[in-house]
Amino acid sequence: MKKKVIILLLVIVSIVASVIAYHAVNSEKPENWTHTTFRGTVTDIWIDGDNRYFTLSPYLLETEHNFIINAETLYVIEFDIGDEVIVESDYNMNEHNGDDIPYPAVMVTDPNTKDKE
């Protein structure tokens, strides 16, 4: 009788451990990609290797954000410090949670550009 109880306990512990392990593997945070449009004034520009970085000071009461222009950026106008620009950015909220990681700039354009009708 004692062997049956021990075997039953081992089976139950094995099942519980398997369920916990399965849940831990499959409950990783999903990637949380979002798209945001930023509009503001360029306050700083610098180059590091093949990448170009800039700081944007938004018009609203938000904090400044750093952006990176690299090979994944689709469209960029020429701009300088003090210019007003619109930046489109696709980024992962899990990575950009207050850290100083530059947001990837997908597009940097002039806010005065209008679509032709």
Side-chain angles (χ1 to χ4, degrees), residues 35-40 42 54 56 67-68 79 85-89 103-109:
H35 178 87
T36 304
T37 301
F38 298 88
R39 182 176 179 161
V42 177
F54 67 98
L56 186 73
F67 293 91
I68 181 171
F79 62 89
V85 295
I86 294 177
V87 181
E88 300 290 335
S89 180
Y103 289 82
V106 175
M107 180 178 75
V108 181
T109 188

Coordinates of all heavy atoms in Angstrom, one line a residue, residues 35-40 42 54 56 67-68 79 85-89 103-109:
H35 N 2.6 52.0 -33.0 CA 3.0 53.1 -34.0 C 2.5 54.4 -33.4 O 1.4 54.6 -33.0 CB 2.3 52.9 -35.3 CG 2.6 53.9 -36.3 ND1 3.7 53.9 -37.1 CD2 2.0 55.1 -36.6 CE1 3.8 54.9 -37.9 NE2 2.8 55.7 -37.6
T36 N 3.5 55.4 -33.4 CA 3.2 56.7 -32.8 C 3.7 57.8 -33.7 O 4.8 57.6 -34.3 CB 3.8 56.8 -31.4 OG1 3.3 55.8 -30.6 CG2 3.5 58.2 -30.8
T37 N 3.0 58.9 -33.8 CA 3.4 60.0 -34.6 C 3.9 61.1 -33.5 O 3.2 61.4 -32.6 CB 2.3 60.6 -35.4 OG1 1.9 59.6 -36.3 CG2 2.7 61.8 -36.2
F38 N 5.1 61.6 -33.7 CA 5.7 62.6 -32.8 C 5.8 63.9 -33.7 O 6.3 63.8 -34.8 CB 7.0 62.2 -32.3 CG 7.0 60.9 -31.5 CD1 7.2 59.7 -32.0 CD2 6.9 61.0 -30.1 CE1 7.2 58.5 -31.3 CE2 6.9 59.9 -29.3 CZ 7.0 58.6 -29.9
R39 N 5.5 65.0 -33.1 CA 5.7 66.3 -33.8 C 6.3 67.2 -32.8 O 5.9 67.4 -31.7 CB 4.3 66.9 -34.2 CG 4.5 68.2 -35.0 CD 3.1 68.7 -35.5 NE 3.3 69.9 -36.2 CZ 2.5 70.4 -37.0 NH1 1.3 69.8 -37.2 NH2 2.7 71.6 -37.6
G40 N 7.4 67.9 -33.3 CA 8.1 68.8 -32.4 C 9.3 69.5 -33.1 O 9.4 69.4 -34.3
V42 N 13.5 69.8 -33.5 CA 14.8 69.1 -33.3 C 15.7 70.0 -32.4 O 15.9 71.1 -32.7 CB 15.4 68.9 -34.7 CG1 16.8 68.2 -34.5 CG2 14.5 68.0 -35.5
F54 N 18.9 62.0 -33.4 CA 18.4 63.3 -33.1 C 17.5 63.3 -31.9 O 16.8 62.3 -31.6 CB 17.8 64.0 -34.3 CG 16.5 63.4 -34.8 CD1 15.3 64.0 -34.4 CD2 16.5 62.3 -35.6 CE1 14.1 63.4 -34.9 CE2 15.3 61.8 -36.1 CZ 14.1 62.3 -35.7
L56 N 14.1 65.1 -30.2 CA 12.9 65.9 -30.6 C 12.2 66.4 -29.3 O 12.0 65.6 -28.4 CB 11.9 65.0 -31.4 CG 10.7 65.7 -32.0 CD1 11.1 66.6 -33.2 CD2 9.7 64.7 -32.4
F67 N 15.7 59.7 -31.3 CA 15.4 58.9 -32.4 C 16.6 58.4 -33.1 O 17.6 59.1 -33.1 CB 14.4 59.6 -33.4 CG 13.1 59.9 -32.8 CD1 12.9 61.1 -32.1 CD2 12.1 59.0 -32.9 CE1 11.6 61.4 -31.6 CE2 10.8 59.2 -32.4 CZ 10.6 60.4 -31.7
I68 N 16.5 57.3 -33.8 CA 17.7 56.8 -34.6 C 17.2 56.7 -36.1 O 16.1 56.2 -36.3 CB 18.2 55.4 -34.1 CG1 19.3 55.0 -34.9 CG2 17.1 54.4 -34.0 CD1 20.1 53.7 -34.4
F79 N 17.0 68.0 -42.4 CA 16.6 68.9 -41.3 C 17.8 69.3 -40.5 O 18.9 68.7 -40.5 CB 15.5 68.3 -40.4 CG 15.9 67.0 -39.7 CD1 16.5 67.0 -38.5 CD2 15.7 65.8 -40.4 CE1 16.9 65.9 -37.8 CE2 16.1 64.6 -39.7 CZ 16.7 64.6 -38.5
V85 N 9.7 69.0 -37.3 CA 9.5 67.8 -38.0 C 8.4 66.9 -37.5 O 8.0 67.1 -36.3 CB 10.8 67.0 -38.1 CG1 11.9 67.7 -38.9 CG2 11.2 66.5 -36.7
I86 N 7.9 66.0 -38.3 CA 7.0 65.0 -37.8 C 7.8 63.7 -38.0 O 8.4 63.4 -39.0 CB 5.7 64.9 -38.7 CG1 4.9 66.2 -38.4 CG2 4.9 63.7 -38.3 CD1 3.7 66.3 -39.2
V87 N 7.7 62.8 -36.9 CA 8.4 61.5 -36.9 C 7.4 60.4 -36.7 O 6.6 60.5 -35.8 CB 9.5 61.5 -35.8 CG1 10.2 60.1 -35.9 CG2 10.5 62.6 -35.9
E88 N 7.4 59.5 -37.6 CA 6.6 58.3 -37.5 C 7.5 57.2 -36.9 O 8.6 57.0 -37.5 CB 6.0 57.8 -38.8 CG 5.1 58.8 -39.5 CD 3.8 59.0 -38.8 OE1 3.4 58.1 -38.1 OE2 3.2 60.1 -38.9
S89 N 7.1 56.5 -35.9 CA 7.9 55.5 -35.3 C 7.1 54.2 -34.9 O 6.0 54.3 -34.4 CB 8.6 56.0 -34.0 OG 9.4 55.1 -33.4
Y103 N 14.2 55.8 -30.1 CA 13.0 55.2 -30.9 C 13.5 55.1 -32.4 O 14.1 56.0 -32.9 CB 11.8 56.2 -30.8 CG 11.2 56.2 -29.5 CD1 11.7 56.9 -28.4 CD2 10.0 55.4 -29.2 CE1 11.0 56.9 -27.2 CE2 9.4 55.4 -28.0 CZ 9.9 56.2 -27.0 OH 9.3 56.2 -25.8
P104 N 13.1 54.1 -33.1 CA 13.4 54.0 -34.5 C 12.5 54.9 -35.3 O 11.3 54.8 -35.2 CB 13.1 52.5 -34.8 CG 12.2 52.0 -33.8 CD 12.4 52.9 -32.5
A105 N 13.1 55.7 -36.1 CA 12.4 56.6 -37.0 C 12.1 55.9 -38.3 O 13.0 55.6 -39.0 CB 13.2 57.9 -37.2
V106 N 10.8 55.7 -38.6 CA 10.4 55.0 -39.8 C 10.4 56.1 -40.9 O 10.8 55.9 -42.0 CB 9.1 54.3 -39.7 CG1 8.6 53.8 -41.0 CG2 9.2 53.2 -38.6
M107 N 9.9 57.3 -40.5 CA 9.8 58.4 -41.5 C 10.0 59.7 -40.7 O 9.5 59.9 -39.6 CB 8.4 58.4 -42.2 CG 8.2 59.5 -43.2 SD 6.6 59.4 -44.0 CE 5.6 60.0 -42.7
V108 N 10.7 60.7 -41.3 CA 10.9 62.0 -40.8 C 10.5 62.9 -41.9 O 11.1 62.9 -43.0 CB 12.3 62.3 -40.4 CG1 12.4 63.7 -39.8 CG2 12.8 61.3 -39.4
T109 N 9.4 63.8 -41.7 CA 8.9 64.6 -42.7 C 8.6 66.0 -42.2 O 8.6 66.3 -41.0 CB 7.7 64.0 -43.4 OG1 7.3 64.7 -44.5 CG2 6.5 63.9 -42.4

